[in-house]
Amino acid sequence: MKILFLNGPNLNLLGTREPDKYGKCTLNDIENYIKKEAASINVDVKFFQSNIEGELVNKIQEAKGNFDGIVINPAAYTHTSVAIRDAFLAVEIPAVEIHISNIHTREDFRKHSLIAPVCIGQITGFGAESYKLGLIAIVDFLRKKSENK
Ligand code: DQA
């Protein structure tokens, strides 16, 4: 099973960016942690980060036929991107939306996600563990789906 982890704008700055909200782990620390967790359950993962909306759209399109599922932290694009939402609708790859902070306890503009309604579900507020919970959620969904076939 192959899972793509997509990361939106400013997540390349994790570790130094607002550590009170996003913690002290870098994206590289999180990637190494998730790769180990994934290997222990026989899952291949790939990480990609971009500050550019169209690059994330391209990765979602390219995932068709190459990945079984996507875990995405769309960062600020969560709240604005019709293009990312439409890409998920187009490729029909199961996806889980994740956030490090709890977007529902923050500013009003962060409470609304354009992406979550086209995902299986949303995980928000568990710090870097949101990535591991996202992995568990997508793998569980895909394994149950293949058992029911
Ligand atoms: C975030 C929450 C978003 O509102 C914000 O724009 C981010 C990070 C999170 O992981 O908590 O960049 O997605």
Side-chain angles (χ1 to χ4, degrees), residues 17 22 73 75-76 79 99-101 103 106 110:
R17 173 192 181 201
Y22 301 118
N73 183 347
H79 320 296
H99 299 283
I100 296 167
S101 63
I103 59 171
R106 299 183 62 194
R110 289 187 206 276

Side-chain angles (χ1 to χ4, degrees), residues 7-11 14 17-18 21-22 72-79 97-103 106-107 109-112 123-125 127 130-131:
N7 292 282
N10 301 306
L11 294 174
L14 285 178
R17 173 192 181 201
E18 300 183 88
K21 292 192 186 78
Y22 301 118
I72 184 166
N73 183 347
Y77 290 138
T78 306
H79 320 296
E97 178 182 303
I98 61 166
H99 299 283
I100 296 167
S101 63
N102 182 347
I103 59 171
R106 299 183 62 194
E107 302 96 323
F109 69 85
R110 289 187 206 276
K111 291 179 182 159
H112 184 245
I123 293 166
T124 184
S130 290
Y131 284 78

